[in-house]
Amino acid sequence: MGRSPCCDESGLKKGPWTPEEDEKLIKYIQKHGHGSWRALPKLAGLNRCGKSCRLRWTNYLRPDIKRGKFSQEEEQTILNLHSILGNKWSAIATHLPGRTDNEIKNFWNTHLKKKLIQMGFDPMTHRPRTDIFSTLPHLLALANLIDNPSWEEQAMRHLQAEALQMARLNQYLHTLLHHQPPPFPNTTTTHVPADMSPFNLLSHLETPAAPPSLPATFLQDPLAPFSHLPDLQAPCSVVNDQSSLSKGGGVGHQGSDFGAMENSPGSSSPWLRQNLSPSPPSAAAPLTENSITNTVDACSTSSYGGAQMWSDLLDDPIFHEIA
DNA sequence: AATTCAGTCAACCGCGATGGT
DNA sequence: GACCATCGCGGTTGACTGAAT
């Protein structure tokens, strides 16, 4: 339980590593493996603490480390995983081969976080921000509407776009419900069919077909269909499954992801995903009146994050003003 | 050319978790 | 069960670099 004293020891070198130190560390680990990190520096002839050696190896010297810019795919994967896992950088890193948790964390803090903020999303919850600053885009949009002679048309488009999000959310929930959850004897070792992965399900949301109404039992207790699953609260099984997501979606997640979807701050990732997609919502297939009605009914009563989105929307005076 | 500023990223720090005795 | 050593994680810092002034 106690803290490691290694970094408190005086006389040990700190700061940037020299090429000579790197070489010593690489040669030693290649020959002997790292074994005990605490013992390693002495054995390798380094005047560093074990912690520093471990960090240098795992974040920089490891042979399988991928360098260079993050691809669009990697960026999307990070966004998706962060919406579910939060700041679990090591867990996210297990789904991005060759990337370190430190690298992903830095990329998040320097790029993705800002990107989300600029788009009006809370980077922690992945949901539209409701504070004073985030209403600015709304205000600007409203100003445009007032200035524009065809504001009714724009308002209708705005409403359609919002409703489209709800329709997709509804469809997503429906898809979740209609996949029979497999028996999970053990959450850490069991794989689920590919389609059970929330990310694979997300990919089904391309077409906003008229979503069916949700069963009343679901509206009362959305988690009930999954109540037999062990450990609904813990999203950590994602961490244990090294095979999913980044490897092309061939293998899915474990069942506890449902718990993660429900309990994690980022349960509105479909919403975010749509908003980050290159094509604007209004470019998608038209909504039917029925789908909008169903969506509003479902989302306003379910406990899924979408309900909160909807209630946020209803609480938004600007939304009312436009409507 | 010098200075300032902002962005990036390697490295450090502190804490909790884990495993051994 | 208590204690201790070690590991691993996430937050933060600070050096470095390139762009802007």
Side-chain angles (χ1 to χ4, degrees):
Chain A
M1 211 63 93
R3 283 188 41 223
S4 167
C6 67
C7 293
D8 302 333
E9 287 168 16
S10 58
L12 293 178
K13 195 182 169 196
K14 283 187 186 179
W17 280 63
T18 64
E20 291 76 28
E21 288 177 311
D22 283 347
E23 201 183 327
K24 277 185 183 175
L25 185 57
I26 291 170
K27 276 188 178 169
Y28 181 85
I29 292 179
Q30 278 176 347
K31 200 171 178 184
H32 304 97
H34 63 72
S36 163
W37 285 112
R38 190 174 168 80
L40 184 145
K42 260 189 182 175
L43 297 169
L46 288 161
N47 189 30
R48 296 265 183 178
C49 69
K51 207 170 181 176
S52 180
C53 294
R54 179 175 57 80
L55 219 63
R56 183 64 179 170
W57 175 256
T58 54
N59 285 342
Y60 200 84
L61 299 175
R62 237 173 48 196
D64 57 331
I65 284 186
K66 194 197 231 173
R67 301 246 152 240
K69 281 197 163 187
F70 281 77
S71 68
Q72 282 285 331
E73 260 185 21
E74 287 176 315
E75 187 176 321
Q76 190 61 56
T77 303
I78 294 170
L79 279 168
N80 286 338
L81 288 170
H82 188 273
S83 74
I84 291 175
L85 298 168
N87 294 0
K88 303 285 178 197
W89 307 118
S90 61
I92 294 172
T94 62
H95 294 282
L96 291 157
R99 300 293 189 183
T100 68
D101 53 356
N102 208 31
E103 202 178 4
I104 293 168
K105 181 171 61 183
N106 283 333
F107 183 61
W108 173 266
N109 286 326
T110 57
H111 291 94
L112 298 180
K113 201 168 155 184
K114 287 176 191 169
K115 201 168 173 179
L116 288 180
I117 290 170
Q118 275 177 359
M119 294 175 74
F121 288 94
D122 183 326
M124 291 318 291
T125 63
H126 290 242
R127 293 178 46 204
R129 294 169 68 196
T130 53
D131 56 70
I132 181 71
F133 297 107
S134 70
T135 60
L136 280 174
H138 284 285
L139 292 170
L140 289 172
L142 185 61
N144 281 336
L145 289 180
I146 292 165
D147 289 344
N148 194 316
S150 62
W151 69 271
E152 286 146 305
E153 196 186 326
Q154 286 203 28
M156 187 50 71
R157 238 182 286 152
H158 178 81
L159 282 171
Q160 268 202 354
E162 299 286 6
L164 177 64
Q165 306 304 330
M166 297 299 112
R168 290 186 166 162
L169 185 63
N170 189 10
Q171 193 189 4
Y172 170 55
L173 289 170
H174 175 75
T175 317
L176 269 181
L177 269 177
H178 284 74
H179 275 80
Q180 181 62 40
F184 292 101
N186 179 341
T187 52
T188 59
T189 55
T190 312
H191 292 266
V192 296
D195 278 352
M196 293 302 289
S197 157
F199 299 115
N200 288 325
L201 292 173
L202 286 173
S203 68
H204 295 164
L205 302 182
E206 299 305 318
T207 313
S213 298
L214 292 168
T217 49
F218 177 81
L219 300 181
Q220 284 158 13
D221 181 7
L223 281 183
F226 312 110
S227 59
H228 65 289
L229 300 180
D231 195 20
L232 265 178
Q233 305 292 323
C236 57
S237 64
V238 178
V239 181
N240 297 328
D241 181 5
Q242 308 262 338
S243 59
S244 57
L245 285 176
S246 59
K247 298 187 180 171
V251 182
H253 285 270
Q254 285 96 7
S256 59
D257 285 354
F258 294 113
M261 290 297 290
E262 176 64 24
N263 294 296
S264 75
S267 53
S268 62
S269 63
W271 169 277
L272 174 61
R273 196 181 157 82
Q274 171 59 27
N275 279 276
L276 287 172
S277 72
S279 55
S282 55
L287 282 170
T288 65
E289 192 183 332
N290 197 28
S291 71
I292 296 174
T293 311
N294 282 341
T295 300
V296 170
D297 287 343
C299 292
S300 59
T301 45
S302 87
S303 71
Y304 183 68
Q308 188 58 44
M309 285 192 301
W310 185 248
S311 67
D312 284 347
L313 205 60
L314 292 175
D315 288 342
D316 186 351
I318 295 166
F319 174 78
H320 280 290
E321 207 167 336
I322 294 170

